[in-house]
Amino acid sequence: MSIAKHHAEWLSLIEVSGPFLSMPVLTRVFPQGLDLVGVEKKKLLREGYEEWEANCELPTPNPAVHREWVKFVLNEVLEFDTNCLVEGSGLPPGASAEVAEFHEVLKPDMALINPAGSEEAYRFRMFIQIYNHDQNLERQVRGKSWSVSPCSRMTELLRRCDVQMGIVTNGENWVVIYVPPGETTSYITFTASLWLEEELTLRAFVTLLSRSRFINAPENETLEGLLEQSASDQHEVTDQLGLQVRRAVETFIRSLDTIDMDSKGQALAGIDEKTIYESALTVMMRLVFLFCAEERGLLLLGDPVYDQHYAVSTLRDLLRQDADRHGEEVLERRSDAFCRLLATFRAVHGGIDYEQMRLPAYGGSLFDPDRFPFLEGRKSGTSWKDTPANPMPIDNRTTLHLLEALQMLQTKVPGAGTTEARRLSFRALDIEQIGHVYEGLLDHTAKRVPKNRPVVALSGTSGKEPEIELIDFLGSQTGKSKNSIRNDLGRRIEPERMNKLSNACGNDKGLLERVKPFGNLIREDSFGRPLIISPGRVYVTSGEDRRSSGAHYTPRSLTESIVQHTLEPLVFEGPAEGWKKSDWRLKSPSEIIDLKILDMAMGSGAFLVQACRWLSERLVESWENVSVGLPKNVRITPLGEPSEGLPEEMIIPTDPDERMAYARRIICDRCLYGVDKNPMAVDMAKLSLWLVTLDKGRAFTFLDHALKCGDSLLGLCSADQIIKFHVTPEKVREIQVNPITSDFVPRIFRTAIEKRRELESFVVKSVEDSDKKAHLLAQADAQLQAVRSMCDMLIASAIRTADGNALRRDGEPHPQFETHRAEMWARIIDKYGSSDIENVNQTFNELSDEAKADINNNMDGRSYGRIPFHWPVEYPEVLAINHGSNCGFSAIVGNPPFMGGQKITGQLGTDYRNYLIDMLASGQKGSAD
């Protein structure tokens, strides 16, 4: 076995969350593999574990036996002696931290320190905390005022004491926590029972955590040093996964395109390239969700029927066994694996209720079979419930490559020029990392090759592999050096390569002759076939939707800090007043639930995910504050009210884990809002929040009312703008009273707000609850359609007449805008006056279509166009009329797009830039972001 495979094997056996040791660091520092563990030590370890395990099974376990087991592991297995391991009163000063706002002092049970006489004697190297054997280390600690997990408590202690390493253990699980300053925290879990079954995990535990690794090793070979060196490689891991997923999407689309060509255009008839790309991206998002849910025990992985017919985590191994036994090409003859995936997607969406297996319906738009019915061989508009499916015959080889792109990470072997595949743990990936992988796919799109203009995909460095038209000049950026390109062009094409090129050209000799000069530069697909795309075929290429819009990856280390410091003054009484932390008072549950938090450029939802985590923890703590002193038979509602006489579904759960899951769903239901101009980013944000709120047996949280698609900068932001039909209503000295502004618009808002408040009043437990929310949202949106059309018309006037000299020029309305606005208003009055009030929406459609055409003028075929976002219309319960002191969002968190002002015109249009100058910048020009 190669050394890389050796390290890949033990890495696959432990659970990691966050950055960990990279393969280059492991192969450099441990070129001979992990340290061996002596036979006598393994024997004593087994005896100690069996004694501890027997004690745990007693009705009243002896705490002394529990503590002795932990000390045995520390003293005998890791060889921490009394010179470096201190506890209790022997802890040096500085080994505690006050969490004043929760009136708690955190302190470790033990600490590893540099021994006397050594360099930096008595410096803390590691804190150690021991919990009861039945305490889940990822769940809330019972009986504590600060209701977070043991791992979260240790993380906070380490940060406040400026110590990087900690261990939290319940005897069975040993979680190593690494807290580098300003970076993402890592959690590495070793399992004691696995030490006895998989010796590699014991060897890894001893190699990485023994006394010599901390006390005697050179600084760059201590565990902290190894992790620090590995941190720079972590971005490469995420980027590599992103590249693999993009290649898988490319493979999937090529398979769809081949099926379409074989059917003479019938398979994808009426399906545009954008929809094809979105379907491929959605399939990959569905898979990553299922991997996460299965690995976290939230689906039925382990159930024999589920494993045999539905599980996605085990399907790759079955296909790989067939491929290794008979060759990958044989897999192209069958397509049952993709049918199994479609069945699983249906099962998650609609549920299964058979005697042999029961799976609740989770609903949600992500898994909706009717979203892309062509994947099931159904026509648009048909229902999966009553129309037979005839799935696209995606062959098993393609499905294998989709699964391997997600499950097997290809890592470079240092010095060997090759790669090794190791299994990826989705428990180890932050939701933010998953979002980053998928945000990279927003850089790309699908296109169809024009007639007589075939396309080739050039091989380049990661992220620089453009697909160029053969008639174009070859000097397109590939990331390769000029010498490398020159060598590739001059090198003889090997016979095997020439055969592949000929096959890729469809044996078209003319095309082959045109391709030959670039034969060594052409990239291969995941099947090893040169990527030459014939006219009329669909291919994946880089687009302009994400990087050009200034979007960037947001790591958890950034979201944690920003969310905490932004929301603390809203959740506590004291920060804004300048009180000492010990005097802070946590606000009531109703005040927390009433908060409205917005990310107006949410991407894959990293800030909203962290806001959900942080707010739900505070909500649980607030519930517990309210519960203090109540009789045991009296519980509380989510708003903190006593439960006497209320039904069970209106009362918060008593189980700590269920309570935290319940809190996260309430926060998502009531507090979080997000906008993004890319509809696929909205789907990714929903995916992220579904992952953080997924509760076994309950349908997905309903998010459609809060996470929306649109341009945050293009639209109206106050109800006053609508009432006065003016983008700068403060300039309108008089307004003519008419039925639209005095009656129609206010009445519409009142009705819509009522519907939206009703849908926020209950938590989704079943698909029926989700359907009820969707019905209420549809009713609210239908009411608002005419008002939305009015808003579009006003924005059309603004963007059509924008000239970059500011609507606020000289304190008077822009003359050209004012003229156009008045014309629009006259048409609205005319349409409204000549219509039955019940048919206003329909009569305004014509005007709305004209407005959208004006708004999207000069867009030059950009993928999604300009989607105005009118804030009072989309979130009327937050920003609409008659809302008193609660009007508006409580806070905005986010990482807004950064695009230099000189790039705005090229990417978004001159009229859009002028609109921004007129509407948002008060006429100020320059290179602003």
Side-chain angles (χ1 to χ4, degrees), residues 353-377:
D353 188 15
Y354 293 121
E355 186 176 338
Q356 295 88 347
M357 189 185 85
R358 286 180 170 82
L359 182 72
Y362 286 92
S365 57
L366 179 65
F367 286 93
D368 186 355
D370 290 337
R371 187 171 176 188
F372 301 106
F374 68 89
L375 293 178
E376 296 190 350

PDB file of all heavy atoms in Angstrom, residues 353-377:
ATOM      1  N   ASP A 353     -45.061   4.937   2.610  1.00  0.00           N
ATOM      2  CA  ASP A 353     -45.828   4.380   3.717  1.00  0.00           C
ATOM      3  C   ASP A 353     -46.201   2.937   3.399  1.00  0.00           C
ATOM      4  O   ASP A 353     -47.312   2.628   2.980  1.00  0.00           O
ATOM      5  CB  ASP A 353     -47.081   5.223   3.965  1.00  0.00           C
ATOM      6  CG  ASP A 353     -47.813   4.803   5.237  1.00  0.00           C
ATOM      7  OD1 ASP A 353     -47.204   4.068   6.048  1.00  0.00           O
ATOM      8  OD2 ASP A 353     -48.973   5.204   5.418  1.00  0.00           O
ATOM      9  N   TYR A 354     -45.216   2.043   3.552  1.00  0.00           N
ATOM     10  CA  TYR A 354     -45.436   0.619   3.360  1.00  0.00           C
ATOM     11  C   TYR A 354     -45.133  -0.105   4.673  1.00  0.00           C
ATOM     12  O   TYR A 354     -44.428   0.429   5.545  1.00  0.00           O
ATOM     13  CB  TYR A 354     -44.544   0.060   2.246  1.00  0.00           C
ATOM     14  CG  TYR A 354     -44.874   0.584   0.880  1.00  0.00           C
ATOM     15  CD1 TYR A 354     -43.925   1.253   0.126  1.00  0.00           C
ATOM     16  CD2 TYR A 354     -46.145   0.399   0.328  1.00  0.00           C
ATOM     17  CE1 TYR A 354     -44.218   1.736  -1.134  1.00  0.00           C
ATOM     18  CE2 TYR A 354     -46.449   0.878  -0.936  1.00  0.00           C
ATOM     19  CZ  TYR A 354     -45.487   1.551  -1.660  1.00  0.00           C
ATOM     20  OH  TYR A 354     -45.791   2.032  -2.910  1.00  0.00           O
ATOM     21  N   GLU A 355     -45.618  -1.311   4.779  1.00  0.00           N
ATOM     22  CA  GLU A 355     -45.382  -2.059   6.015  1.00  0.00           C
ATOM     23  C   GLU A 355     -43.895  -2.302   6.228  1.00  0.00           C
ATOM     24  O   GLU A 355     -43.398  -2.259   7.353  1.00  0.00           O
ATOM     25  CB  GLU A 355     -46.142  -3.396   5.945  1.00  0.00           C
ATOM     26  CG  GLU A 355     -46.086  -4.182   7.254  1.00  0.00           C
ATOM     27  CD  GLU A 355     -46.927  -5.441   7.194  1.00  0.00           C
ATOM     28  OE1 GLU A 355     -47.858  -5.500   6.342  1.00  0.00           O
ATOM     29  OE2 GLU A 355     -46.652  -6.354   7.978  1.00  0.00           O
ATOM     30  N   GLN A 356     -43.158  -2.532   5.122  1.00  0.00           N
ATOM     31  CA  GLN A 356     -41.728  -2.843   5.248  1.00  0.00           C
ATOM     32  C   GLN A 356     -40.870  -1.605   5.518  1.00  0.00           C
ATOM     33  O   GLN A 356     -39.768  -1.701   6.055  1.00  0.00           O
ATOM     34  CB  GLN A 356     -41.217  -3.519   3.962  1.00  0.00           C
ATOM     35  CG  GLN A 356     -41.826  -4.875   3.677  1.00  0.00           C
ATOM     36  CD  GLN A 356     -43.121  -4.757   2.869  1.00  0.00           C
ATOM     37  OE1 GLN A 356     -43.678  -3.661   2.740  1.00  0.00           O
ATOM     38  NE2 GLN A 356     -43.601  -5.875   2.350  1.00  0.00           N
ATOM     39  N   MET A 357     -41.358  -0.410   5.130  1.00  0.00           N
ATOM     40  CA  MET A 357     -40.542   0.788   5.288  1.00  0.00           C
ATOM     41  C   MET A 357     -41.431   2.026   5.274  1.00  0.00           C
ATOM     42  O   MET A 357     -42.314   2.156   4.430  1.00  0.00           O
ATOM     43  CB  MET A 357     -39.512   0.889   4.146  1.00  0.00           C
ATOM     44  CG  MET A 357     -38.474   1.992   4.371  1.00  0.00           C
ATOM     45  SD  MET A 357     -37.372   2.180   2.956  1.00  0.00           S
ATOM     46  CE  MET A 357     -38.351   3.278   1.954  1.00  0.00           C
ATOM     47  N   ARG A 358     -41.167   2.924   6.218  1.00  0.00           N
ATOM     48  CA  ARG A 358     -41.923   4.171   6.269  1.00  0.00           C
ATOM     49  C   ARG A 358     -40.955   5.354   6.299  1.00  0.00           C
ATOM     50  O   ARG A 358     -40.045   5.398   7.126  1.00  0.00           O
ATOM     51  CB  ARG A 358     -42.845   4.204   7.489  1.00  0.00           C
ATOM     52  CG  ARG A 358     -44.058   3.302   7.333  1.00  0.00           C
ATOM     53  CD  ARG A 358     -44.986   3.344   8.554  1.00  0.00           C
ATOM     54  NE  ARG A 358     -46.238   2.668   8.264  1.00  0.00           N
ATOM     55  CZ  ARG A 358     -46.409   1.353   8.332  1.00  0.00           C
ATOM     56  NH1 ARG A 358     -45.389   0.573   8.681  1.00  0.00           N
ATOM     57  NH2 ARG A 358     -47.586   0.817   8.042  1.00  0.00           N
ATOM     58  N   LEU A 359     -41.171   6.266   5.371  1.00  0.00           N
ATOM     59  CA  LEU A 359     -40.360   7.479   5.282  1.00  0.00           C
ATOM     60  C   LEU A 359     -41.315   8.660   5.182  1.00  0.00           C
ATOM     61  O   LEU A 359     -42.174   8.693   4.292  1.00  0.00           O
ATOM     62  CB  LEU A 359     -39.447   7.435   4.046  1.00  0.00           C
ATOM     63  CG  LEU A 359     -38.504   8.634   3.846  1.00  0.00           C
ATOM     64  CD1 LEU A 359     -37.382   8.592   4.886  1.00  0.00           C
ATOM     65  CD2 LEU A 359     -37.905   8.615   2.443  1.00  0.00           C
ATOM     66  N   PRO A 360     -41.222   9.630   6.093  1.00  0.00           N
ATOM     67  CA  PRO A 360     -42.144  10.771   6.016  1.00  0.00           C
ATOM     68  C   PRO A 360     -41.866  11.614   4.774  1.00  0.00           C
ATOM     69  O   PRO A 360     -40.754  11.638   4.256  1.00  0.00           O
ATOM     70  CB  PRO A 360     -41.837  11.562   7.294  1.00  0.00           C
ATOM     71  CG  PRO A 360     -40.431  11.206   7.629  1.00  0.00           C
ATOM     72  CD  PRO A 360     -40.260   9.765   7.202  1.00  0.00           C
ATOM     73  N   ALA A 361     -42.893  12.305   4.301  1.00  0.00           N
ATOM     74  CA  ALA A 361     -42.732  13.215   3.163  1.00  0.00           C
ATOM     75  C   ALA A 361     -42.070  14.502   3.654  1.00  0.00           C
ATOM     76  O   ALA A 361     -42.531  15.121   4.609  1.00  0.00           O
ATOM     77  CB  ALA A 361     -44.092  13.516   2.547  1.00  0.00           C
ATOM     78  N   TYR A 362     -40.975  14.889   3.000  1.00  0.00           N
ATOM     79  CA  TYR A 362     -40.271  16.116   3.385  1.00  0.00           C
ATOM     80  C   TYR A 362     -40.672  17.302   2.511  1.00  0.00           C
ATOM     81  O   TYR A 362     -40.421  18.444   2.870  1.00  0.00           O
ATOM     82  CB  TYR A 362     -38.757  15.900   3.322  1.00  0.00           C
ATOM     83  CG  TYR A 362     -38.233  15.059   4.453  1.00  0.00           C
ATOM     84  CD1 TYR A 362     -38.108  13.681   4.326  1.00  0.00           C
ATOM     85  CD2 TYR A 362     -37.890  15.625   5.669  1.00  0.00           C
ATOM     86  CE1 TYR A 362     -37.642  12.900   5.371  1.00  0.00           C
ATOM     87  CE2 TYR A 362     -37.422  14.860   6.722  1.00  0.00           C
ATOM     88  CZ  TYR A 362     -37.300  13.497   6.572  1.00  0.00           C
ATOM     89  OH  TYR A 362     -36.839  12.724   7.622  1.00  0.00           O
ATOM     90  N   GLY A 363     -41.298  17.025   1.357  1.00  0.00           N
ATOM     91  CA  GLY A 363     -41.762  18.111   0.496  1.00  0.00           C
ATOM     92  C   GLY A 363     -40.612  18.953  -0.024  1.00  0.00           C
ATOM     93  O   GLY A 363     -39.504  18.482  -0.261  1.00  0.00           O
ATOM     94  N   GLY A 364     -40.872  20.250  -0.220  1.00  0.00           N
ATOM     95  CA  GLY A 364     -39.832  21.178  -0.649  1.00  0.00           C
ATOM     96  C   GLY A 364     -39.643  21.197  -2.153  1.00  0.00           C
ATOM     97  O   GLY A 364     -39.796  20.183  -2.838  1.00  0.00           O
ATOM     98  N   SER A 365     -39.279  22.362  -2.671  1.00  0.00           N
ATOM     99  CA  SER A 365     -39.116  22.515  -4.118  1.00  0.00           C
ATOM    100  C   SER A 365     -37.887  21.793  -4.649  1.00  0.00           C
ATOM    101  O   SER A 365     -37.840  21.420  -5.819  1.00  0.00           O
ATOM    102  CB  SER A 365     -39.021  24.005  -4.466  1.00  0.00           C
ATOM    103  OG  SER A 365     -37.942  24.618  -3.764  1.00  0.00           O
ATOM    104  N   LEU A 366     -36.874  21.574  -3.793  1.00  0.00           N
ATOM    105  CA  LEU A 366     -35.635  20.953  -4.271  1.00  0.00           C
ATOM    106  C   LEU A 366     -35.888  19.577  -4.865  1.00  0.00           C
ATOM    107  O   LEU A 366     -35.347  19.222  -5.907  1.00  0.00           O
ATOM    108  CB  LEU A 366     -34.624  20.854  -3.127  1.00  0.00           C
ATOM    109  CG  LEU A 366     -33.283  20.189  -3.470  1.00  0.00           C
ATOM    110  CD1 LEU A 366     -32.509  21.014  -4.491  1.00  0.00           C
ATOM    111  CD2 LEU A 366     -32.439  19.975  -2.218  1.00  0.00           C
ATOM    112  N   PHE A 367     -36.730  18.773  -4.220  1.00  0.00           N
ATOM    113  CA  PHE A 367     -36.963  17.395  -4.661  1.00  0.00           C
ATOM    114  C   PHE A 367     -38.257  17.235  -5.461  1.00  0.00           C
ATOM    115  O   PHE A 367     -38.627  16.112  -5.787  1.00  0.00           O
ATOM    116  CB  PHE A 367     -36.986  16.464  -3.448  1.00  0.00           C
ATOM    117  CG  PHE A 367     -35.632  16.207  -2.848  1.00  0.00           C
ATOM    118  CD1 PHE A 367     -35.157  16.978  -1.799  1.00  0.00           C
ATOM    119  CD2 PHE A 367     -34.810  15.211  -3.350  1.00  0.00           C
ATOM    120  CE1 PHE A 367     -33.910  16.758  -1.249  1.00  0.00           C
ATOM    121  CE2 PHE A 367     -33.564  14.982  -2.812  1.00  0.00           C
ATOM    122  CZ  PHE A 367     -33.102  15.750  -1.759  1.00  0.00           C
ATOM    123  N   ASP A 368     -38.919  18.316  -5.767  1.00  0.00           N
ATOM    124  CA  ASP A 368     -40.200  18.235  -6.478  1.00  0.00           C
ATOM    125  C   ASP A 368     -40.012  17.567  -7.838  1.00  0.00           C
ATOM    126  O   ASP A 368     -39.328  18.113  -8.714  1.00  0.00           O
ATOM    127  CB  ASP A 368     -40.768  19.646  -6.648  1.00  0.00           C
ATOM    128  CG  ASP A 368     -42.177  19.629  -7.241  1.00  0.00           C
ATOM    129  OD1 ASP A 368     -42.663  18.547  -7.598  1.00  0.00           O
ATOM    130  OD2 ASP A 368     -42.767  20.724  -7.348  1.00  0.00           O
ATOM    131  N   PRO A 369     -40.613  16.402  -8.076  1.00  0.00           N
ATOM    132  CA  PRO A 369     -40.439  15.711  -9.363  1.00  0.00           C
ATOM    133  C   PRO A 369     -40.989  16.501 -10.545  1.00  0.00           C
ATOM    134  O   PRO A 369     -40.564  16.287 -11.682  1.00  0.00           O
ATOM    135  CB  PRO A 369     -41.222  14.401  -9.178  1.00  0.00           C
ATOM    136  CG  PRO A 369     -41.352  14.225  -7.705  1.00  0.00           C
ATOM    137  CD  PRO A 369     -41.433  15.614  -7.143  1.00  0.00           C
ATOM    138  N   ASP A 370     -41.944  17.410 -10.279  1.00  0.00           N
ATOM    139  CA  ASP A 370     -42.534  18.179 -11.372  1.00  0.00           C
ATOM    140  C   ASP A 370     -41.713  19.404 -11.741  1.00  0.00           C
ATOM    141  O   ASP A 370     -42.070  20.148 -12.655  1.00  0.00           O
ATOM    142  CB  ASP A 370     -43.956  18.622 -10.996  1.00  0.00           C
ATOM    143  CG  ASP A 370     -44.915  17.444 -10.949  1.00  0.00           C
ATOM    144  OD1 ASP A 370     -44.614  16.419 -11.597  1.00  0.00           O
ATOM    145  OD2 ASP A 370     -45.947  17.547 -10.258  1.00  0.00           O
ATOM    146  N   ARG A 371     -40.614  19.624 -11.046  1.00  0.00           N
ATOM    147  CA  ARG A 371     -39.786  20.788 -11.364  1.00  0.00           C
ATOM    148  C   ARG A 371     -39.048  20.593 -12.683  1.00  0.00           C
ATOM    149  O   ARG A 371     -38.933  21.515 -13.477  1.00  0.00           O
ATOM    150  CB  ARG A 371     -38.789  21.018 -10.221  1.00  0.00           C
ATOM    151  CG  ARG A 371     -38.015  22.297 -10.378  1.00  0.00           C
ATOM    152  CD  ARG A 371     -37.224  22.594  -9.135  1.00  0.00           C
ATOM    153  NE  ARG A 371     -36.396  23.775  -9.314  1.00  0.00           N
ATOM    154  CZ  ARG A 371     -35.493  24.177  -8.437  1.00  0.00           C
ATOM    155  NH1 ARG A 371     -35.342  23.505  -7.309  1.00  0.00           N
ATOM    156  NH2 ARG A 371     -34.764  25.237  -8.666  1.00  0.00           N
ATOM    157  N   PHE A 372     -38.525  19.390 -12.894  1.00  0.00           N
ATOM    158  CA  PHE A 372     -37.872  19.046 -14.162  1.00  0.00           C
ATOM    159  C   PHE A 372     -38.459  17.719 -14.647  1.00  0.00           C
ATOM    160  O   PHE A 372     -37.789  16.679 -14.595  1.00  0.00           O
ATOM    161  CB  PHE A 372     -36.350  18.938 -13.995  1.00  0.00           C
ATOM    162  CG  PHE A 372     -35.706  20.206 -13.505  1.00  0.00           C
ATOM    163  CD1 PHE A 372     -35.257  20.322 -12.200  1.00  0.00           C
ATOM    164  CD2 PHE A 372     -35.563  21.288 -14.366  1.00  0.00           C
ATOM    165  CE1 PHE A 372     -34.684  21.496 -11.752  1.00  0.00           C
ATOM    166  CE2 PHE A 372     -34.974  22.471 -13.921  1.00  0.00           C
ATOM    167  CZ  PHE A 372     -34.539  22.577 -12.607  1.00  0.00           C
ATOM    168  N   PRO A 373     -39.704  17.728 -15.106  1.00  0.00           N
ATOM    169  CA  PRO A 373     -40.373  16.465 -15.468  1.00  0.00           C
ATOM    170  C   PRO A 373     -39.684  15.722 -16.603  1.00  0.00           C
ATOM    171  O   PRO A 373     -39.823  14.502 -16.703  1.00  0.00           O
ATOM    172  CB  PRO A 373     -41.785  16.917 -15.865  1.00  0.00           C
ATOM    173  CG  PRO A 373     -41.662  18.363 -16.208  1.00  0.00           C
ATOM    174  CD  PRO A 373     -40.588  18.900 -15.323  1.00  0.00           C
ATOM    175  N   PHE A 374     -38.908  16.443 -17.437  1.00  0.00           N
ATOM    176  CA  PHE A 374     -38.257  15.756 -18.559  1.00  0.00           C
ATOM    177  C   PHE A 374     -37.237  14.731 -18.078  1.00  0.00           C
ATOM    178  O   PHE A 374     -36.932  13.767 -18.796  1.00  0.00           O
ATOM    179  CB  PHE A 374     -37.619  16.760 -19.527  1.00  0.00           C
ATOM    180  CG  PHE A 374     -36.438  17.498 -18.973  1.00  0.00           C
ATOM    181  CD1 PHE A 374     -35.157  16.990 -19.097  1.00  0.00           C
ATOM    182  CD2 PHE A 374     -36.603  18.730 -18.351  1.00  0.00           C
ATOM    183  CE1 PHE A 374     -34.062  17.673 -18.598  1.00  0.00           C
ATOM    184  CE2 PHE A 374     -35.516  19.437 -17.858  1.00  0.00           C
ATOM    185  CZ  PHE A 374     -34.239  18.896 -17.978  1.00  0.00           C
ATOM    186  N   LEU A 375     -36.701  14.896 -16.856  1.00  0.00           N
ATOM    187  CA  LEU A 375     -35.780  13.886 -16.327  1.00  0.00           C
ATOM    188  C   LEU A 375     -36.488  12.548 -16.133  1.00  0.00           C
ATOM    189  O   LEU A 375     -35.859  11.496 -16.193  1.00  0.00           O
ATOM    190  CB  LEU A 375     -35.185  14.350 -14.994  1.00  0.00           C
ATOM    191  CG  LEU A 375     -34.250  15.561 -15.038  1.00  0.00           C
ATOM    192  CD1 LEU A 375     -33.788  15.929 -13.634  1.00  0.00           C
ATOM    193  CD2 LEU A 375     -33.051  15.307 -15.938  1.00  0.00           C
ATOM    194  N   GLU A 376     -37.783  12.609 -15.879  1.00  0.00           N
ATOM    195  CA  GLU A 376     -38.579  11.391 -15.726  1.00  0.00           C
ATOM    196  C   GLU A 376     -39.263  11.008 -17.034  1.00  0.00           C
ATOM    197  O   GLU A 376     -40.121  10.114 -17.049  1.00  0.00           O
ATOM    198  CB  GLU A 376     -39.633  11.583 -14.630  1.00  0.00           C
ATOM    199  CG  GLU A 376     -39.040  11.799 -13.245  1.00  0.00           C
ATOM    200  CD  GLU A 376     -40.098  11.753 -12.157  1.00  0.00           C
ATOM    201  OE1 GLU A 376     -41.300  11.740 -12.498  1.00  0.00           O
ATOM    202  OE2 GLU A 376     -39.716  11.709 -10.970  1.00  0.00           O
ATOM    203  N   GLY A 377     -38.926  11.695 -18.123  1.00  0.00           N
ATOM    204  CA  GLY A 377     -39.532  11.378 -19.405  1.00  0.00           C
ATOM    205  C   GLY A 377     -40.976  11.841 -19.513  1.00  0.00           C
ATOM    206  O   GLY A 377     -41.742  11.297 -20.314  1.00  0.00           O
TER     207      GLY A 377
END
